[in-house]
Amino acid sequence: MDHRAFFFQRLGLTNRDLERYLAEALLAGGDYADLYFEYHTSTSLSLDESLIKSATQGISAGCGVRVISGERTGYAYTDDLSPERILRAARTAALIASGPNKQPIVNLKDPAGGHTLYAVASPSVDAEVAAKVELLQRADRSARSYDSRIVQVRASYADELRRILVVGSDGVVASDSQPLARMSAFCIAKDGQNSARGNSGGGGRVGIEYFQTERTPEYFAHEAARQSIIQLDARETPAGEMEVVLGPGWPGVLLHEAVGHGLEADFNRKKTSAFAGLVGKRVASEKVTVVDHGTMPSKRGSINVDDEGSPTQHTTLIENGILKGYISDKLSARLMGIANTGNGRRESYEHIPMPRMTNTYMLAGQDEPKDIIKSVKRGLFAVNFGGGQVDITNGKFVFSASEAYLIEDGEITAPVKNATLIGNGPDVLTRVSMVGNDLQLDEGVGTCGKDGQSVPVGVGMPTIKVDRLTVGGTG
Amino acid sequence: MPVETQERIELGAGLKEIAADVVAGARKAGATAADAIARDGNEFSTLVRLGEVETLKESGARALGLRVFVGKRAAATHTSDFSRDGIERLVSSAISLARATSEDPIAGLPDASSLGALKQDLDLYYDDVYSLSTADRIDYARRAEAAAMAADPRITNSDGGSFDAATGYKVLANSLGFVGEYRRSYCSVSAVPIAQAGGSAMQRDYWYSASRTLQKLESPEAVGRKAAERTLRRVGAHKVPTQKVPVVFDPMVSRGLIDHIFDAVNGDAIYRHASYLSGKLGEQIAGENITIVDDGTMVGGFGSSPFDGEGVPTRRTVVVERGILKSYLLNTYTARKLKLQTTGNAARGLTGNPGIGSGNFYLQPGDKDPKDILRDIPSGLYVTEFLGFGVNLVTGDFSRGASGLWIENGELTFPVEEITVAGNLKDMFRNVSAIGNDLEFRSSIAAPTLRIDGMTVAGE
């Protein structure tokens, strides 16, 4: 799809202007320059104590100019889109380079056809506020009627539309209009002296109708309420190494932390990742195949083009346990002599793009989920998680279980309290002994942080068994 | 490097008038009350890796946020578009959005009598953070990395050295006549070396110095050497068996522990019963040796400002005194909700209702030398880093990934990693058995070395 018209009309831009800005950026001798125009609108609503207490709307627009010279990157941005300010940003970014202008500007190409991954009739940001309010009120009623021990309910709805135009001195011109919507519910349950929390949410590159038909407020409210009630009876989590079964869907955050970040090409180019130099080597059991898939329709981590104007792709990272390759962007692909996988992403026009994940998941295996549980003598069954974190250099990663159960003699017995699981990225997947046939993607809530930049991502996994993982309980 | 091209425009120029105009415009458009915030800022950062400049970033940005009340309904809008159209849209969207929200009987601006700004100079702004040439800034980053690389042959790689500078301007105006503004500056230098030896895994750690003025920044060499020392001590780390032992927290991680207390006394969490400290005012929630203070008035502090996000003067609030919970941290809304007074802790981002922010939040130091704290421990864990966010404020349950050093007969011995430390915040702050004399503000939250007994270390 060609979304250039929005910028061309609003800013009175022409191809000639864009070429002039790029020429200015390369005036000091850079190898490559690009311009990133962004116009971002967002709304958010939140409900607390059955009242819509907060409603916000915002607009953020600007242009970032990047100049690359060898391994060096210069960057400047402006929120004032007048030609003088863009030229000034171009001159500032050009400071990184020194030498004669050695890269003549290629004529800008017409955008290629490309993906159309968002089947949205009209973006959620343009929907009536009253319709969003109703979703939140439905979530509130549903959660409160779930159980009389639910004492607090919060719900929120947030959507955005990000319009981008990327123009590179390699002639690439790409534009996109990326809708994103998300709904969340949060409950607190109380029983005597015990309190517990539960939360749930989802969405994607969808319109408001998604929450009226496919994933309703009642669905999320019910799930948040269910978790909080279950947690009221949670016991102490055991501590130490044990067998761990991870449920399908969001527990795929394990892959994101344990291997995903470590496979981002920038860290491997600099040889600062625990995975550096392991391409072609075994990093997982042969049952494990992991992909990064940016072109799944409507998913939160999907985009038609990345923030450097490259089309997104389906990239196999680990195939039957063997490391196949990295997640890359233009700079790392060029410097490492590898293919650009279309993973150059940035939070906004204020940020330099870098290799980032899209939707990262493990393919389904052969095992029946119930057989996986049955095979465990004493261990943990973790089905929901909060966030995670990784130190990509030593490979250590953690993720925190928000809903987990003891498995005793092949049976799921009691719920346990929140606990952190910790492991080592390069070898945790070698201990995956069973892989379920029940692959699920998460509901669409993930936000990934790297170097202070946040981008929406998806994760997914079938039920798996890890033979040995450290569980950070107290019992 | 080439010469500078950036001409500087005065920070925040014209924004005071714009903020006041936006408030007046909102009143005219039908708001019964309003406040507006305008921000301006410049940022510079450079990263030098293996002696070569890797990134150089320099820019400035402005933004405008408006909050309106139409009767007892509130809404907020923000924009980066300062054109007449952009501002008109900011106002009209806010008014129409407010009609969609619920009536909330206690929503509103602070009482007029509580508005104001501290008169004293808080020493928050130095234009020297922008006085260096680009070449000199790059040199700061280069020197920090070079010092780390030169410290030891086991330092084999690097995530670089960096120098950052930023200035920010903020103005807040409301329809009760309050108009306040302030500027703050910031600069920092850091290094992130990577070490490897024998067949063991690579290890990375960092160190930094930050200040409001270049004058008080530590030398890049000192920062680089400290970063190298912190990285080298991790080389060869391994797991330890699961056990209950005394745990000593380095000030860099103690700070993370009291951050959880800050979250737990946050007025929003309190009125929603989302904190284990809800309803505990006046009760013993920690040992008698624990005193925690929030002070937004400290001269030069990273968390200091003359007024909060609603135009209420900042102040010094004793949160926990000898283990007794003395005060929550509140803004106007949460104070009204709890029938208390605001503590001047409103945090106003560009968007939405004000939340709760800290001033300078710290745990009062004890009198023990950190070395003496270690000396008393026959066997235990010294934590230097947390990984992950495993804290449940509703229950107080705490379980976080950690790495550090093993304590044996009062001395630090081998490095430890891939472990967790777990407990419950309710017990942890009752079981602090030693407090160091080493309180130092490296950010707006600070705590000295702490020893906590009874926690579970999970490993093998």
Side-chain angles (χ1 to χ4, degrees):
Chain A
M1 290 281 282
D2 190 356
H3 301 275
R4 280 180 304 173
F6 175 82
F7 290 96
F8 281 30
Q9 281 160 18
R10 180 171 290 264
L11 304 176
L13 276 175
T14 62
N15 267 358
R16 186 176 294 267
D17 294 326
L18 297 172
E19 285 166 1
R20 185 160 64 105
Y21 301 152
L22 286 173
E24 190 78 19
L26 292 174
L27 211 54
D31 305 323
Y32 168 84
D34 59 19
L35 310 169
Y36 179 84
F37 291 90
E38 181 185 35
Y39 189 91
H40 181 258
T41 52
S42 58
T43 69
S44 75
L45 291 164
S46 66
L47 174 146
D48 174 28
E49 299 184 309
S50 302
L51 302 175
I52 304 293
K53 286 191 186 177
S54 162
T56 70
Q57 245 170 33
I59 296 173
S60 161
C63 175
V65 184
R66 173 172 66 155
V67 176
I68 296 177
S69 176
E71 298 197 29
R72 311 194 296 182
T73 299
Y75 199 80
Y77 59 85
T78 172
D79 52 30
D80 180 338
L81 295 168
S82 63
E84 309 79 66
R85 289 309 186 99
I86 296 172
L87 286 167
R88 188 174 118 172
R91 281 194 296 275
T92 304
L95 280 178
I96 195 74
S98 53
N101 178 357
K102 49 191 180 241
Q103 187 80 14
I105 310 259
V106 196
N107 284 333
L108 295 178
K109 300 168 193 158
D110 275 333
H115 306 304
T116 50
L117 301 172
Y118 336 124
V120 174
S122 114
S124 174
V125 269
D126 297 335
E128 287 295 325
V129 174
K132 299 172 192 175
V133 166
E134 197 207 323
L135 293 176
L136 297 182
Q137 289 168 336
R138 277 169 59 185
D140 184 53
R141 282 195 298 272
S142 171
R144 287 180 191 280
S145 65
Y146 181 87
D147 192 297
S148 60
R149 290 169 291 177
I150 302 287
V151 294
Q152 284 282 324
V153 178
R154 269 186 289 151
S156 65
Y157 186 89
D159 53 25
E160 63 177 50
L161 184 66
R162 178 187 305 278
R163 292 183 174 93
I164 61 165
L165 169 65
V166 195
V167 185
S169 63
D170 52 2
V172 164
V173 178
S175 59
D176 199 9
S177 180
Q178 303 166 343
L180 190 66
R182 171 185 161 157
M183 174 163 193
S184 309
F186 176 88
C187 294
I188 294 177
K190 209 164 180 197
D191 191 0
Q193 282 305 299
N194 279 352
S195 290
R197 64 180 183 182
N199 59 66
S200 167
R205 304 211 177 270
V206 296
I208 192 171
E209 63 284 353
Y210 178 81
F211 302 97
Q212 291 155 339
T213 53
E214 281 186 59
R215 283 287 187 265
T216 60
E218 289 75 18
Y219 174 87
F220 296 119
H222 212 264
E223 177 57 21
R226 184 191 65 77
Q227 282 179 27
S228 65
I229 295 293
I230 282 176
Q231 284 293 316
L232 282 174
D233 296 322
R235 299 190 203 163
E236 295 298 318
T237 307
E241 286 185 342
M242 64 195 73
E243 290 180 296
V244 175
V245 176
L246 299 169
W250 180 245
V253 69
L254 165 88
L255 301 172
H256 179 100
E257 302 298 351
V259 300
H261 280 295
L263 297 181
E264 289 165 342
D266 47 351
F267 299 131
N268 289 282
R269 170 169 71 84
K270 300 172 190 173
K271 300 198 168 23
T272 60
S273 163
F275 285 91
L278 293 183
V279 171
K281 302 260 169 59
R282 174 164 297 284
V283 295
S285 92
E286 60 184 19
K287 296 188 173 189
V288 174
T289 294
V290 178
V291 300
D292 183 75
H293 190 177
T295 67
M296 304 177 83
S298 307
K299 290 294 178 194
R300 184 173 166 86
S302 299
I303 35 182
N304 290 326
V305 292
D306 73 2
D307 295 318
E308 299 182 304
S310 310
T312 50
Q313 294 179 23
H314 177 282
T315 307
T316 302
L317 303 175
I318 297 171
E319 188 169 33
N320 301 326
I322 307 296
L323 181 61
K324 301 306 276 188
Y326 300 122
I327 292 165
S328 62
D329 61 358
K330 278 185 176 173
L331 177 68
S332 53
R334 181 167 63 82
L335 294 175
M336 295 174 79
I338 59 174
N340 176 6
T341 59
N343 289 81
R345 304 183 64 187
R346 52 180 129 196
E347 179 178 309
S348 77
Y349 69 90
E350 295 185 12
H351 299 93
I352 299 173
M354 54 187 164
R356 302 297 295 264
M357 285 173 262
T358 59
N359 304 296
T360 311
Y361 60 92
M362 184 188 293
L363 300 194
Q366 309 285 324
D367 296 302
E368 287 296 332
K370 64 177 191 306
D371 295 339
I372 299 179
I373 300 286
K374 221 179 278 175
S375 74
V376 176
K377 180 100 180 75
R378 177 181 170 276
L380 193 76
F381 178 42
V383 293
N384 270 302
F385 283 88
Q389 197 182 354
V390 62
D391 177 332
I392 54 111
T393 300
N394 64 20
K396 302 301 172 279
F397 69 91
V398 299
F399 56 138
S400 300
S402 57
E403 181 184 0
Y405 302 84
L406 287 178
I407 308 176
E408 293 164 302
D409 295 321
E411 302 280 339
I412 295 168
T413 56
V416 294
K417 288 183 175 175
N418 306 146
T420 290
L421 277 58
I422 187 161
N424 181 40
D427 67 38
V428 66
L429 295 183
T430 63
R431 300 188 197 150
V432 173
S433 59
M434 297 177 87
V435 177
N437 55 14
D438 55 343
L439 169 65
Q440 271 181 35
L441 267 286
D442 78 286
E443 286 284 349
V445 293
T447 296
C448 167
K450 174 178 171 184
D451 278 356
Q453 293 194 44
S454 296
V455 297
V457 294
V459 299
M461 198 161 69
T463 300
I464 66 166
K465 177 169 139 185
V466 182
D467 282 343
R468 198 152 46 85
L469 197 58
T470 298
V471 176
T474 52
Chain B
M1 294 302 293
V3 291
E4 320 299 299
T5 61
Q6 283 279 61
E7 69 273 29
R8 301 238 77 81
I9 297 170
E10 194 200 336
L11 193 66
L15 292 190
K16 197 171 172 177
E17 294 70 28
I18 291 175
D21 286 353
V22 166
V23 169
R27 289 279 283 131
K28 201 182 279 178
T32 46
D35 65 9
I37 185 166
R39 291 197 312 214
D40 188 6
N42 291 308
E43 60 160 328
F44 172 88
S45 67
T46 188
L47 173 72
V48 170
R49 186 170 168 270
L50 302 179
E52 297 290 332
V53 178
E54 185 160 293
T55 60
L56 192 65
K57 184 173 172 186
E58 175 154 17
S59 272
R62 303 193 302 173
L64 188 56
L66 169 67
R67 179 169 63 136
V68 301
F69 298 91
V70 177
K72 290 294 175 187
R73 299 172 197 270
T77 50
H78 61 96
T79 189
S80 61
D81 181 355
F82 281 72
S83 69
R84 182 191 291 258
D85 275 2
I87 289 175
E88 270 173 22
R89 182 130 73 118
L90 181 82
V91 172
S92 63
S93 305
I95 302 284
S96 66
L97 199 53
R99 302 196 199 283
T101 62
S102 310
E103 285 204 7
D104 186 344
I106 63 165
L109 294 176
D111 300 333
S113 60
S114 69
L115 295 169
L118 299 180
K119 297 284 178 287
Q120 67 266 38
D121 180 7
L122 291 174
D123 212 20
L124 303 177
Y125 183 80
Y126 287 83
D127 50 20
D128 70 351
V129 300
Y130 264 101
S131 62
L132 295 178
S133 68
T134 301
D136 284 345
R137 290 162 169 175
I138 290 169
D139 203 46
Y140 256 76
R142 199 192 305 274
R143 284 161 57 197
E145 189 196 40
M149 298 296 289
D152 193 287
R154 290 170 296 167
I155 307 278
T156 53
N157 198 348
S158 165
D159 262 340
S162 50
F163 175 81
D164 291 76
T167 51
Y169 166 89
K170 195 181 258 189
V171 55
L172 178 76
N174 73 21
S175 57
L176 296 173
F178 176 86
V179 183
E181 61 183 335
Y182 59 88
R183 297 183 298 178
R184 299 199 280 197
S185 57
Y186 179 89
C187 57
S188 71
V189 58
S190 65
V192 190
I194 293 175
Q196 192 167 26
S200 66
M202 284 188 288
Q203 296 290 349
R204 177 182 62 168
D205 214 318
Y206 73 101
W207 192 243
Y208 74 101
S209 170
S211 172
R212 296 211 176 275
T213 164
L214 222 42
Q215 301 304 318
K216 291 186 182 162
L217 209 55
E218 289 167 35
S219 82
E221 285 76 16
V223 168
R225 283 192 298 268
K226 182 85 185 267
E229 190 185 305
R230 286 167 52 89
T231 302
L232 288 165
R233 69 181 180 182
R234 300 177 67 148
V235 173
H238 55 80
K239 280 191 186 188
V240 290
T242 300
Q243 57 196 297
K244 276 198 159 95
V245 282
V247 180
V248 178
F249 295 92
D250 179 275
M252 293 294 283
V253 287
S254 305
R255 171 174 103 174
L257 292 181
I258 71 152
D259 204 4
H260 300 316
I261 298 290
F262 169 73
D263 290 335
V265 299
N266 175 320
D268 280 313
I270 297 296
Y271 92 76
R272 291 170 176 151
H273 300 280
S275 163
Y276 74 97
L277 294 178
S278 260
K280 297 279 194 276
L281 220 48
E283 293 184 23
Q284 191 86 35
I285 58 124
E288 284 188 13
N289 54 353
I290 302 291
T291 291
I292 297 173
V293 175
D294 182 68
D295 187 353
T297 72
M298 281 170 52
V299 172
F302 289 109
S304 302
S305 58
F307 54 89
D308 76 355
E310 296 180 302
V312 173
T314 57
R315 66 195 68 182
R316 180 177 187 276
T317 303
V318 177
V319 176
V320 177
E321 188 169 33
R322 295 168 189 270
I324 297 182
L325 180 60
K326 300 296 270 192
S327 179
Y328 303 130
L329 294 179
L330 305 169
N331 57 16
T332 298
Y333 185 86
T334 56
R336 285 179 186 153
K337 207 70 199 165
L338 295 162
K339 302 193 165 53
L340 295 165
Q341 296 298 314
T342 174
T343 56
N345 284 92
R348 175 90 155 86
L350 210 49
T351 136
N353 295 336
I356 304 290
S358 74
N360 301 286
F361 189 82
Y362 63 94
L363 192 145
Q364 213 131 58
D367 52 10
K368 267 203 140 169
D369 190 298
K371 281 209 175 60
D372 294 332
I373 294 180
L374 297 179
R375 197 157 295 150
D376 296 340
I377 298 175
S379 181
L381 175 68
Y382 182 68
V383 178
T384 57
E385 187 180 79
F386 283 137
L387 195 61
F389 320 94
V391 177
N392 182 337
L393 282 183
V394 173
T395 58
D397 289 322
F398 174 100
S399 167
R400 294 184 74 175
S403 57
L405 297 153
W406 196 253
I407 307 165
E408 204 67 59
N409 298 324
E411 301 281 340
L412 296 177
T413 58
F414 59 88
V416 177
E417 67 181 3
E418 206 180 332
I419 53 164
T420 63
V421 290
N424 187 293
L425 292 170
K426 289 178 209 170
D427 308 321
M428 286 160 62
F429 280 91
R430 284 198 169 90
N431 295 330
V432 175
S433 58
I435 301 177
N437 57 7
D438 51 347
L439 180 72
E440 187 191 7
F441 283 91
R442 307 191 69 84
S443 71
S444 61
I445 296 195
T449 299
L450 297 176
R451 169 182 167 169
I452 301 183
D453 294 334
M455 295 187 74
T456 303
V457 174
E460 289 169 341

